[in-house]
Amino acid sequence: MKIFSPATVANVSCGFDVLGFCLESIGDEMVIRKTDEKGIRITKIEGFDLPFEAEKNVAGVSALALMEAAKPNCGFEIEIYKNIKPGSGVGSSSASAVGSVFGINELLGRPFDKTQLTNFAMKGEALASQCEHADNIAPAIFGGFTLVKSVTPLEVLQLPTPANLFAVIIHPQIEIKTSEARSILPKQIDLQKAITQWSNVGSLVHALHTSDYGLLSRSLSDVVVEPYRKQLIPHFDDLRESALKNGALGCGISGSGPSVFSLCHGRETAKNVARAIKTLFSKTDIPFEMYLSRI
Ligand code: HSE
């Protein structure tokens, strides 16, 4: 069975650790086969240098968590074709963790629901990020926009995706470790900022339900996390200004960075934003990659 496992954008500005969306056309591929031999064997990895031992590989660990629960009378072999660069901030480890559990669940006749698959995939994600968060995994499994209402017990809400929504992603080729990007955040936040932030999360969810692009745009702001993390991303303020000037609804850090996303209404606007960002970043000496995808 051939699987497409999508890249995802976590946080979506105001929704730190709870909101995420999935990119329709950017992602990894996997081929999964049932075997008589029990256990999980990773037989091929292309794209990036990652461990073959199941216990040390994100896709392997999530698959093993599923196998532990399903106890099937067979095993599986997995081929991984990675397109999403590890550490890029668009859910590379989540895509690996999700692909294996989604595929194995299909081959077993779907014994598990999407929330259970999210739980298994979180075990794999934890290997990569040292903490169990589901804001990249949930959108990769449920599709579109998701909100992780709680991790323990796990409760994921699938939110509606308004038509013609596109994301432009720029990935500056610098390394930002999620652990580092988390360690610079304050342990406590100011009440006034918290009020602004939860008002934005609420209105963003409402905007998705009502396809209100103006409200969506006014909600895509982060007064809690971005002020700290943007210092890790060169030219972030210029990128944001350029994206908004060229018609983006909003622009923010994708997950813990270094990728930066812009949300756009319509493919033409997304292309204009991509062009402007590319021109701007080409003037720097930092190599970068860009993606454009429908959500
Ligand atoms: N919500 C997480 C963070 C995503 O921002 O740290 C990390 O990929």
Side-chain angles (χ1 to χ4, degrees):
M1 164 174 278
K2 199 169 169 183
I3 308 291
F4 171 76
S5 195
T8 46
V9 170
N11 300 341
V12 199
S13 292
C14 51
F16 179 63
D17 275 1
V18 298
L19 285 173
F21 64 76
C22 158
L23 301 175
E24 198 182 85
S25 54
I26 317 291
D28 292 344
E29 282 169 347
M30 284 188 194
V31 174
I32 304 183
R33 289 184 205 92
K34 218 173 186 172
T35 56
D36 291 336
E37 191 187 333
K38 286 195 177 179
I40 297 292
R41 284 191 316 130
I42 298 170
T43 51
K44 196 169 186 180
I45 303 176
E46 276 184 12
F48 295 96
D49 199 13
L50 295 166
F52 276 82
E53 301 97 301
E55 296 78 9
K56 291 185 185 157
N57 181 295
V58 169
V61 170
S62 61
L64 289 169
L66 183 152
M67 299 289 272
E68 175 76 20
K71 300 198 179 359
N73 215 4
C74 61
F76 294 91
E77 57 180 37
I78 305 174
E79 294 175 8
I80 303 172
Y81 301 90
K82 274 213 82 67
N83 299 313
I84 316 170
K85 193 170 182 180
S88 52
V90 285
S92 177
S93 52
S94 296
S96 297
V98 163
S100 62
V101 296
F102 179 85
I104 293 174
N105 192 49
E106 291 294 307
L107 291 171
L108 289 175
R110 296 193 191 167
F112 299 111
D113 65 22
K114 289 179 177 173
T115 304
Q116 289 169 305
L117 293 183
T118 305
N119 250 320
F120 299 135
M122 281 170 68
K123 304 290 176 227
E125 170 82 293
L127 179 76
S129 66
Q130 274 84 53
C131 68
E132 289 199 0
H133 57 85
D135 51 346
N136 285 106
I137 289 169
I141 289 186
F142 287 75
F145 281 84
T146 55
L147 186 144
V148 180
K149 173 154 182 3
S150 107
V151 171
T152 326
L154 184 62
E155 188 175 353
V156 177
L157 308 180
Q158 186 169 31
L159 303 172
T161 305
N164 277 324
L165 216 46
F166 289 79
V168 175
I169 312 277
I170 175 162
H171 172 208
Q173 312 268 295
I174 55 165
E175 194 189 350
I176 299 178
K177 290 201 164 70
T178 298
S179 51
E180 183 199 341
R182 291 182 86 85
S183 72
I184 61 168
L185 301 179
K187 299 281 171 281
Q188 291 178 336
I189 59 169
D190 174 69
L191 181 61
Q192 205 50 48
K193 287 197 176 125
I195 293 168
T196 304
Q197 195 85 349
W198 60 56
S199 135
N200 280 331
V201 175
S203 58
L204 192 148
V205 170
H206 185 71
L208 294 176
H209 276 276
T210 53
S211 293
D212 185 336
Y213 297 95
L215 182 63
L216 183 57
S217 178
R218 296 196 300 282
S219 311
L220 285 165
S221 152
D222 172 7
V223 296
V224 171
V225 174
E226 188 182 285
Y228 295 91
R229 285 188 169 171
K230 71 176 186 177
Q231 295 151 27
L232 304 174
I233 301 172
H235 311 291
F236 176 80
D237 285 330
D238 296 339
L239 277 176
R240 187 161 198 274
E241 194 187 318
S242 170
L244 297 180
K245 211 165 80 189
N246 284 279
L249 298 168
C251 175
I253 303 169
S254 176
S256 55
S259 285
V260 172
F261 76 94
S262 302
L263 264 189
C264 304
H265 184 198
R267 192 181 286 277
E268 282 315 305
T269 305
K271 281 188 189 165
N272 286 339
V273 168
R275 215 172 291 128
I277 286 178
K278 189 172 177 185
T279 307
L280 189 148
F281 224 78
S282 299
K283 292 181 189 142
T284 75
D285 53 4
I286 304 165
F288 64 95
E289 277 174 12
M290 290 196 64
Y291 313 103
L292 191 159
S293 170
R294 186 185 279 274
I295 295 165

